Amino acid sequence: MNLKLRVWRQSSAKAAGSLVEYPAHDVSPDMSFLEMLDVVNEGLQERGEEPIAFDHDCREGICGSCGFVINGRAHGGQKRTTVCQLHMRHFHDGDELVLEPWRSRAFPVVRDLIVDRGAFDRIIQAGGFVSVNTGTAPDGNAIAVPKVDADLAMDAAQCIGCGACVAQCPNGAAQLFTAAKVAHLGLLPQGQPERASRVESMVAQLEEEMFGSCTNFGECEAVCP
Amino acid sequence: MALDARIPDGPIETKWERTRFDLKLVNPANKRRFTVIVVGSGLAGASAAASLAELGYDVHCFCFQDSPRRAHSIAAQGGINAAKNYQNDGDSAYRLFYDTVKGGDFRAREANVYRLAELSVRIIDQCVAQGVPFAREYGGMLANRSFGGAQVSRTFYARGQTGQQLLLGAYQALSRQIAAGKVTMFPRTEMLDLVVEDGRARGIVTRDLVTGAIGRHAAHAVVLATGGYGNVFFLSTNAKGSNATAIWRAHKRGALFGNPCFTQIHPTCIPVSGEYQSKLTLMSESLRNDGRIWVPKQKGDARKAAEIPEAERDYYLEVKYPSFGNLVPRDVASRAAKAVCDQGRGVGPGGLGVYLDFSDSIRRLGKHAIEERYGNLFEMYERITGEDPYTVPMRIYPAVHYTMGGLWVDYHLMSNVPGLFVLGEANFSDHGANRLGASALMQGLADGYFVIPYTIGDYLARHMGEKLDAESALFRNAEAEVRAEVAKLLAVRGKRSVDSIHRELGKIMWEYCGMARNATGLREALVRIPALRQEFRENVNVLGAGESLNQSLEKAGRVADFLELGELMCRDALEREESCGGHFREESQTPEGEALRDDDRFSYVAAWENLGGDQGWKLHKEPLAFEHVHLAQRSYK
Amino acid sequence: MTMKAHVDLLRSTLGRKAVMAVTGFLLFGFVLTHMAGNLKMYLGQEKFDAYAEGLREIGKPLLGHGQALWIARVVLLAAALLHIWSAWSLTMQSRRARPLRYEALKSERSTYAARTMRWGGVILLLFVFYHLAHLTFGWVHPDFVPGKVYQNVTVGLQVWWVAGFYMLANLALGFHLYHGLWSFFQTLGWTHPRFDPWRRRFAALFAIVITLGNLSFPLAVLTGVVR
Ligand SMILES: Cc1cc2nc3c(=O)[nH]c(=O)nc-3n(C[C@H](O)[C@H](O)[C@H](O)COP(=O)(O)OP(=O)(O)OC[C@H]3O[C@@H](n4cnc5c(N)ncnc54)[C@H](O)[C@@H]3O)c2cc1C
Ligand code: HEM
Ligand code: HEM
Ligand code: SF4
Ligand code: F3S
Ligand code: FES
């Protein structure tokens, strides 16, 4: 199939960006979205144009590196799928696709579709941990953890830190990301001693980072991979 | 050069304890006067950086991703081994040690492996305390599963995302130290050179991947935890960014490279679907518990799987290995798949695939039971291939997965360059010629949490009060060399993209240095790789500038190193005229076609010294002695 | 609470959200009772006027005529102002959080109600202004008689477009309440998987009851059921 792409190109954080049109020819339905971009990039380089920059690493949907907005939907809007796992069979010949970076003041664009998600790291640094030094831990079975709690904690702990929640939220809020870490550690006995102070400092950092404020739209959960 | 592995004498059970007692200590007040560079923030790097900072060292940590949390360890699915014996099934440190040495086909150091097994239990404790949500039983105790053909249940897991959860635990510990100001984190920063002064590691040269700025960093010791180099093959289960650059440049500065040709090929990966393929996805090994592997008996059979009658199917593993059947070890299963595909009986596009069929299990246990066990894997398979494995058999094919080789290190995890320590998949240490499932995570964390914090002190204590100077002529020269290399890559402006050359290298490696190797093929590769390197130097096309984010430039630097490393791998494979673990030399097999070791000639670690320029390499041998695990030929009949 | 905590309550996002939720809930309490009170309209002029008068007599021995009502008015006004201020400032913060808009952001899951909170709120504000000028002060009423509440309503709502505007505003109110009430629990952290479906039902029930009740008044006047 053939597609028409309109891709956000921006050479650096300070430069102004714009949408540039590129055709994508002979796209195979078995390609992943990023493989389709790889092929487009090969073509660009042949013509002496710099390739489209996008973040990616594992290409298995787990590292959280990849991510951009396709036609107004973070990660393309397929359920529980990151762009690296999104396959071209979900698109049709002749489709026009607009590719934009996560747009959020807290995530400044670095180049093209790459943004700086350092704000997420700083939120974790503020308190998203259990203060335990190496070597001081008691036996792993010393404290029993009810299976239900362990499972619920695992649900929350699966966040890959991709930033799609912020990108899709009409308010640009980082509620889901922050709440996921608070819930993960708060559900486990190991996280109890610092429970209150953790929430306080993580929320304080959240305030610093210029995210928007949640009004419970629920978009974030819909795009969370 | 004399290789001293610094293995303490005495009984194996107390070697580590005695070593720890003999180590020199740095007094707490002096620790902050030492700067330690940790390159890598995977399980090995993050755990090391956090633990060293907790002790009080001034740590500088580097990774090329935008956040330390994204290191490739995040992708590990299956689990982590530990000799806890929670299941009361007779496990012990000694048994884990025994299994690991044997699984590695007797090409690992006994002392290192014993220490690994011994430390494994503390890793679980540490991770639980950090809040890693391991799977639990209803009674609230930690759950285990058996993995990779082990006869005991010793694998701890967090759904199918064990690596993710362990890494997030280490990342959170690291984050805490960053907040405390004890670790300075440099994300999106790539190490491009090691600075060696008077034979000792004194710092690194880096490139800021956003601005392109070249940086000089001096330290009292340098720790490399930069992961594996499976991407030499272009297609592998590794992340796209995984690379050999850090260890390779250290190698060129004098560090010996251990067993470069030892590569693990994983039998259950999703096959290649086209020329555009960018990476291969692993499907957990556990699938082989309930799936049956087969290909059509007839060559070039183009019928759909469902149309091939039972009598015309060849369940080749069950036929060839009646007692282990579909559960033979990774290397055996991989080679068997290659053999049937070479006969023209492979399935799917290009004929490079075999069926992994669940229809019998679904009939026997019901769809629901299969869904419980493998639901998320089936979902992932369907997402990638568009086929529903409940109704159509999965197609799988082996893929490069892990590199047992890496920089040579002694018992202290220090390379032959004093002050340069190497941890995790980046070193060669514990897995011999084949790694058992769920033991890489264990090794990375043992190295980072429980080995390096002690052994680095012993080195540093001998270098109290040394001044650091990143402005010295030595550092400036190293920087100039890096700049020149970057400029050279950008100046070629040839016709071929970096990826196209990388893909070509991968094909050569896979063909001649992959699942089965022989002298003729390896010699062929040793002609073709230098030629391709030449082509790269003259005809690569890297657009853009050095002073900005430039992904083609990043790739070009990495591929330049792969083009050299690939050659060394073939050299090593050619030299080792025996089959062992993941290294299968067609010349050395039993009459039944199984791997045949040659302990008299090859019971050693191959440690290669880079002679610089076009001088090639010199081989050093560290002999291996087996006092506890008895040398025996593996058999899975 | 320390002083710092007080300041943070108004400055922090979470604090302002809590203010919005609590004041929103007060406003909800008002519209609910207001609607319930207005139902007396169906009992005829005397009863309804007496009810309106009665409101002014609440707390009689202690407070003077209309005093209790004034207290309520002050509380209500303060709540409305705080509510609007917090909504406005948070909206602005969220605007700033995305300086560059998307070509077209698609919505994935959010309800129509959630997406119209702000414009719906503005419509409500405009409505309240008009409504006060209409039925409380009589400035825009063709034939306003202070104290003759029943007559003011029946005459006032006979104008078709006035009645139409009332109905439109009350539909907006319904949406605003539907999302707002559900959101109220979320904001204050009163959530639990087992309790969540009830939150939805609670929000829907009250939003529907209030909207139907309020819609019925202009309809009743227009159709002559109440005259
Ligand atoms: C798909 C998959 C599944 C696996 N499943 C399992 C399993 O179930 N159990 C198990 O035990 N093992 C498993 N493994 C193996 C295991 O995951 C790895 O061996 C292990 O995680 C490696 O950890 P590491 O810390 O050594 O390196 P990595 O996690 O690869 O980290 C490397 C770090 O080094 C940094 N880096 C690299 N080069 C540079 C440079 N030049 N400059 C700066 N920084 C650099 C990177 O940014 C990164 O932070 C699996 C591997 C794969 C690929
Ligand atoms: C200019 C006028 C108004 C604006 C801009 C406005 C805006 C908002 C916003 C943005 C919310 C928050 C939704 C959320 O957090 O999920 C909200 C909640 C609410 N509003 Fe309003 N509103 C206005 C007027 C009113 C009026 C007049 C009423 C009452 C009749 C009202 C009742 C409520 C209620 C009950 C809530 C729920 C409280 C909560 O969020 O928990 N609002 N409003
Ligand atoms: C169709 C629906 C409605 C009718 C028929 C109605 C009717 C009335 C009447 C008759 C009064 C005057 C009462 C008096 O002076 O004693 C009044 C006052 C008022 N109404 Fe409504 N109303 C309706 C809906 C609303 C709504 C939706 C709101 C708010 C969102 C609202 C807010 C007010 C306020 C603030 C007053 C002034 C109260 C005061 O005296 O302090 N009304 N309404
Ligand atoms: S909460 Fe979901 S969408 Fe947000 S960062 Fe985590 S994984 Fe991504
Ligand atoms: S979409 Fe945004 S408004 Fe809240 S519920 Fe999710 S953060
Ligand atoms: S590349 Fe890792 S999640 Fe997409």
Side-chain angles (χ1 to χ4, degrees):
Chain A
M1 66 180 122
N2 295 316
L3 304 168
K4 198 165 105 188
L5 305 181
R6 290 175 63 217
V7 184
W8 186 260
R9 298 303 304 261
Q10 178 173 342
S11 62
S12 72
K14 292 198 192 80
S18 61
L19 287 171
V20 182
E21 208 173 294
Y22 302 103
H25 296 302
D26 303 324
V27 175
S28 148
D30 287 328
M31 284 178 173
S32 72
F33 203 92
L34 299 188
E35 285 169 344
M36 183 275 289
L37 284 183
D38 287 343
V39 173
V40 169
N41 274 342
E42 283 281 311
L44 284 178
Q45 281 165 285
E46 265 165 40
R47 283 184 281 142
E49 287 178 51
E50 280 194 60
I52 302 160
F54 56 89
D55 254 329
H56 65 111
D57 199 21
C58 72
R59 296 207 177 186
E60 286 190 13
I62 189 77
C63 73
S65 294
C66 68
F68 42 80
V69 170
I70 305 171
N71 284 356
R73 294 194 159 95
H75 288 307
Q78 284 287 322
K79 239 168 103 186
R80 304 214 282 136
T81 306
T82 51
V83 284
C84 61
Q85 289 282 291
L86 177 66
H87 279 67
M88 297 312 291
R89 64 182 73 91
H90 299 294
F91 299 89
H92 308 284
D93 190 45
D95 278 358
E96 180 181 314
L97 306 178
V98 181
L99 273 50
E100 295 174 272
W102 293 163
R103 294 208 186 282
S104 157
R105 178 178 217 168
F107 292 167
V109 172
V110 174
R111 180 168 192 147
D112 297 348
L113 301 175
I114 299 181
V115 298
D116 175 359
R117 285 167 292 202
F120 272 5
D121 285 324
R122 291 188 291 274
I123 290 174
I124 300 295
Q125 283 158 23
F129 47 72
V130 175
S131 298
V132 51
N133 280 358
T134 304
T136 54
D139 185 86
N141 265 346
I143 306 172
V145 181
K147 183 170 166 25
V148 202
D149 291 352
D151 285 346
L152 284 173
M154 182 64 200
D155 287 341
Q158 293 183 75
C159 163
I160 62 172
C162 62
C165 46
V166 175
Q168 194 75 26
C169 172
N171 294 319
Q175 207 66 20
L176 189 61
F177 171 82
T178 313
K181 189 48 63 190
V182 167
H184 159 208
L185 297 175
L187 281 159
L188 294 171
Q190 288 80 10
Q192 291 312 308
E194 295 168 285
R195 196 176 167 164
S197 63
R198 175 180 309 119
V199 176
E200 216 169 276
S201 28
M202 287 179 76
V203 166
Q205 187 63 32
L206 190 63
E207 301 284 330
E208 299 259 307
E209 298 286 354
M210 315 290 244
F211 285 108
S213 130
C214 173
T215 52
N216 304 319
F217 270 103
E219 297 284 357
C220 48
E221 283 177 63
V223 296
C224 173
Chain B
M1 188 184 307
L3 283 180
D4 178 7
R6 290 201 278 172
I7 297 168
D9 351 290
I12 198 159
E13 290 82 0
T14 54
K15 275 185 200 292
W16 177 233
E17 200 183 314
R18 270 177 295 117
T19 306
R20 276 194 302 165
F21 181 74
D22 291 338
L23 291 175
K24 277 182 181 288
L25 301 175
V26 180
N27 110 29
N30 284 332
K31 287 205 174 88
R32 67 191 159 79
R33 305 216 175 107
F34 286 108
T35 301
V36 178
I37 284 176
V38 177
V39 187
S41 62
L43 284 181
S47 59
S51 305
L52 292 173
E54 285 161 10
L55 288 173
Y57 294 110
D58 174 25
V59 177
H60 293 194
C61 183
F62 298 78
C63 73
F64 67 76
Q65 291 91 347
D66 67 327
S67 161
R69 68 179 288 151
R70 306 198 203 285
H72 179 53
S73 296
I74 201 117
Q77 306 168 344
I80 177 167
N81 286 334
K84 279 285 195 188
N85 193 29
Y86 281 157
Q87 307 306 321
N88 200 25
D89 55 1
D91 201 9
S92 62
Y94 200 86
R95 187 179 293 280
L96 176 54
F97 152 70
Y98 196 94
D99 288 353
T100 308
V101 172
K102 189 169 161 227
D105 218 358
F106 305 95
R107 291 296 172 261
R109 253 185 228 145
E110 281 192 341
N112 281 55
V113 178
Y114 190 87
R115 176 179 63 191
L116 175 64
E118 186 185 343
L119 292 176
S120 66
V121 296
R122 301 194 61 197
I123 296 173
I124 302 303
D125 302 341
Q126 184 63 28
C127 296
V128 167
Q130 289 170 342
V132 170
F134 283 120
R136 299 269 172 175
E137 307 288 1
Y138 280 101
M141 297 298 145
L142 290 159
N144 289 119
R145 61 171 152 213
S146 74
F147 199 74
Q151 285 158 308
V152 290
S153 229
R154 61 159 79 101
T155 304
F156 294 77
Y157 61 99
R159 295 207 185 128
Q161 288 120 285
T162 316
Q164 178 195 32
Q165 293 310 315
L166 295 174
L167 182 61
L168 292 181
Y171 159 76
Q172 285 162 201
L174 176 64
S175 297
R176 176 169 157 245
Q177 296 305 314
I178 295 172
K182 294 202 242 158
V183 174
T184 317
M185 186 71 217
F186 296 83
R188 284 203 209 273
T189 308
E190 186 169 39
M191 163 179 166
L192 291 182
D193 208 353
L194 176 74
V195 180
V196 179
E197 190 176 8
D198 303 329
R200 290 194 288 130
R202 298 310 300 268
I204 61 173
V205 178
T206 59
R207 180 169 177 274
D208 179 323
L209 299 181
V210 175
T211 63
I214 308 290
R216 287 171 263 127
H217 305 267
H220 294 94
V222 176
V223 178
L224 300 186
T226 52
Y229 52 88
N231 277 347
V232 166
F233 292 84
F234 187 74
L235 289 180
S236 81
T237 62
N238 287 9
K240 291 295 286 174
S242 298
N243 68 88
T245 291
I247 56 171
W248 192 251
R249 310 238 169 143
H251 171 60
K252 288 168 86 170
R253 293 284 180 189
L256 301 182
F257 209 113
N259 296 334
C261 80
F262 285 172
T263 313
Q264 181 166 77
I265 305 218
H266 199 290
T268 49
C269 301
I270 302 178
V272 173
S273 70
E275 193 46 31
Y276 49 79
Q277 188 89 24
S278 62
K279 80 152 279 159
L280 295 169
T281 302
L282 179 80
M283 290 270 98
S284 169
E285 191 153 36
S286 59
L287 290 171
R288 286 199 276 147
N289 289 328
D290 287 305
R292 296 180 70 195
I293 295 177
W294 63 275
V295 289
K297 282 189 174 157
Q298 202 185 318
K299 236 164 114 167
D301 193 333
R303 285 174 294 176
K304 289 203 180 100
E307 292 161 5
I308 301 178
E310 203 53 39
E312 290 173 41
R313 300 176 175 193
D314 179 7
Y315 295 88
Y316 57 90
L317 285 177
E318 297 170 18
V319 174
K320 208 166 161 202
Y321 307 99
S323 62
F324 275 72
N326 293 301
L327 292 173
V328 290
R330 291 179 179 177
D331 50 339
V332 178
S334 296
R335 276 196 294 277
K338 177 177 157 50
V340 294
C341 292
D342 286 350
Q343 293 161 12
R345 298 194 287 142
V347 297
L352 291 177
V354 300
Y355 287 127
L356 178 60
D357 198 337
F358 290 87
S359 48
D360 277 354
S361 301
I362 292 175
R363 226 168 293 135
R364 189 161 36 95
L365 307 163
K367 185 175 165 182
H368 185 70
I370 295 299
E371 199 175 334
E372 286 248 288
R373 282 182 205 172
Y374 311 111
N376 55 345
L377 291 169
F378 278 32
E379 207 177 281
M380 175 153 106
Y381 181 85
E382 185 169 3
R383 198 149 51 217
I384 292 174
T385 63
E387 290 174 0
D388 172 15
Y390 293 105
T391 52
V392 186
M394 271 189 188
R395 287 174 297 110
I396 53 163
Y397 199 65
V400 174
H401 178 55
Y402 184 87
T403 47
M404 281 74 71
L407 291 186
W408 182 90
V409 288
D410 62 18
Y411 191 66
H412 292 206
L413 300 183
M414 188 162 87
S415 72
N416 60 306
V417 177
L420 177 67
F421 293 80
V422 192
L423 318 182
E425 194 174 341
N427 72 24
F428 89 104
S429 67
D430 298 353
H431 307 295
N434 177 47
R435 175 178 69 80
L436 290 183
S439 59
L441 302 181
M442 168 173 76
Q443 182 222 336
L445 290 179
D447 289 0
Y449 283 134
F450 298 117
V451 179
I452 191 78
Y454 301 101
T455 58
I456 206 168
D458 182 68
Y459 171 80
L460 292 172
R462 297 163 206 271
H463 299 283
M464 261 318 279
E466 280 179 8
K467 289 247 152 44
L468 298 179
D469 182 14
E471 302 299 321
S472 70
L474 197 75
F475 269 92
R476 289 186 178 282
N477 282 344
E479 178 191 335
E481 280 174 44
V482 166
R483 280 186 194 284
E485 173 67 16
V486 168
K488 219 158 88 190
L489 290 170
L490 286 166
V492 185
R493 293 286 143 107
K495 294 237 149 29
R496 291 189 60 180
S497 72
V498 177
D499 276 353
S500 83
I501 292 179
H502 192 178
R503 231 177 251 281
E504 191 175 331
L505 171 68
K507 282 188 184 146
I508 298 175
M509 294 300 294
W510 183 244
E511 181 73 23
Y512 301 115
C513 199
M515 271 182 281
R517 303 150 174 193
N518 61 53
T520 327
L522 288 166
R523 291 212 179 86
E524 170 75 18
L526 284 170
V527 173
R528 290 175 56 177
I529 294 170
L532 186 62
R533 199 159 60 223
Q534 189 73 9
E535 162 87 354
F536 176 82
R537 288 289 167 194
E538 288 165 5
N539 200 19
V540 74
N541 183 19
V542 184
L543 297 165
E547 292 77 35
S548 67
L549 189 143
N550 188 338
Q551 291 177 317
S552 330
L553 179 63
E554 293 165 27
K555 282 196 263 187
R558 294 169 190 166
V559 171
D561 294 335
F562 285 143
L563 283 163
E564 297 176 1
L565 170 56
E567 183 178 346
L568 178 61
M569 291 169 72
C570 294
R571 273 287 300 275
D572 187 42
L574 184 62
E575 186 82 25
R576 194 172 280 278
E577 293 170 340
E578 64 160 351
S579 296
C580 58
H583 171 66
F584 187 77
R585 278 290 295 265
E586 288 167 354
E587 299 92 330
S588 180
Q589 42 182 311
T590 63
E592 297 88 40
E594 301 305 329
L596 184 64
R597 274 198 335 264
D598 183 347
D599 294 320
D600 294 337
R601 288 172 64 211
F602 295 101
S603 187
Y604 63 75
V605 175
W608 294 87
E609 180 188 355
N610 193 309
L611 299 175
D614 297 330
Q615 308 273 307
W617 291 271
K618 183 170 170 216
L619 174 63
H620 301 268
K621 297 176 183 173
E622 180 201 333
L624 291 171
F626 294 90
E627 291 164 14
H628 298 86
V629 188
H630 297 293
L631 284 165
Q633 200 69 36
R634 297 188 305 170
S635 166
Y636 298 97
K637 284 282 172 189
Chain C
M1 249 198 282
T2 61
M3 195 57 214
K4 183 165 176 305
H6 279 289
V7 175
D8 280 355
L9 183 64
L10 297 184
R11 227 189 20 218
S12 76
T13 312
L14 251 60
R16 278 176 287 163
K17 277 175 54 129
V19 168
M20 182 151 69
V22 170
T23 53
F25 199 76
L26 282 177
L27 295 174
F28 156 71
F30 167 75
V31 282
L32 181 65
T33 37
H34 187 49
M35 190 279 294
N38 283 345
L39 284 174
K40 290 220 160 69
M41 198 180 295
Y42 294 114
L43 301 178
Q45 174 178 1
E46 268 166 52
K47 290 260 170 63
F48 191 54
D49 285 351
Y51 154 72
E53 182 57 25
L55 284 179
R56 290 159 172 85
E57 307 294 318
I58 292 176
K60 197 57 197 261
L62 277 167
L63 304 168
H65 180 82
Q67 272 183 357
L69 189 61
W70 271 109
I71 293 174
R73 280 171 176 163
V74 169
V75 171
L76 214 57
L77 185 68
L81 288 177
L82 277 172
H83 187 78
I84 293 168
W85 166 77
S86 53
W88 185 78
S89 74
L90 288 173
T91 304
M92 285 304 127
Q93 177 180 339
S94 293
R95 281 268 159 90
R96 279 195 303 275
R98 179 160 297 142
L100 211 55
R101 330 246 100 209
Y102 289 105
E103 276 276 291
L105 187 64
K106 295 263 172 36
S107 62
E108 291 286 338
R109 179 184 291 172
S110 57
T111 55
Y112 178 76
R115 280 175 272 132
T116 50
M117 281 311 269
R118 282 142 193 178
W119 283 112
V122 170
I123 292 178
L124 281 179
L125 183 69
L126 294 178
F127 167 76
V128 172
F129 284 146
Y130 179 81
H131 182 52
L132 289 176
H134 187 224
L135 290 182
T136 302
F137 304 113
W139 301 330
V140 292
H141 196 280
D143 187 14
F144 187 77
V145 185
K148 298 237 168 203
V149 185
Y150 186 84
Q151 188 211 309
N152 291 341
V153 173
T154 47
V155 173
L157 290 180
Q158 242 148 34
V159 189
W160 67 268
W161 58 267
V162 172
F165 179 49
Y166 265 70
M167 289 196 283
L168 181 83
N170 278 292
L171 277 177
L173 176 68
F175 281 115
H176 197 83
L177 288 176
Y178 175 60
H179 181 72
L181 286 175
W182 173 80
S183 175
F184 173 75
F185 296 103
Q186 187 90 24
T187 300
L188 297 183
W190 297 335
T191 62
H192 188 280
R194 231 177 316 148
F195 169 68
D196 282 350
W198 289 104
R199 268 196 308 150
R200 269 278 171 229
R201 273 171 235 168
F202 172 88
L205 178 74
F206 280 94
I208 290 172
V209 165
I210 291 177
T211 313
L212 285 184
N214 278 347
L215 283 180
S216 78
F217 307 130
L219 275 176
V221 172
L222 278 185
T223 53
V225 173
V226 168
R227 63 177 104 205

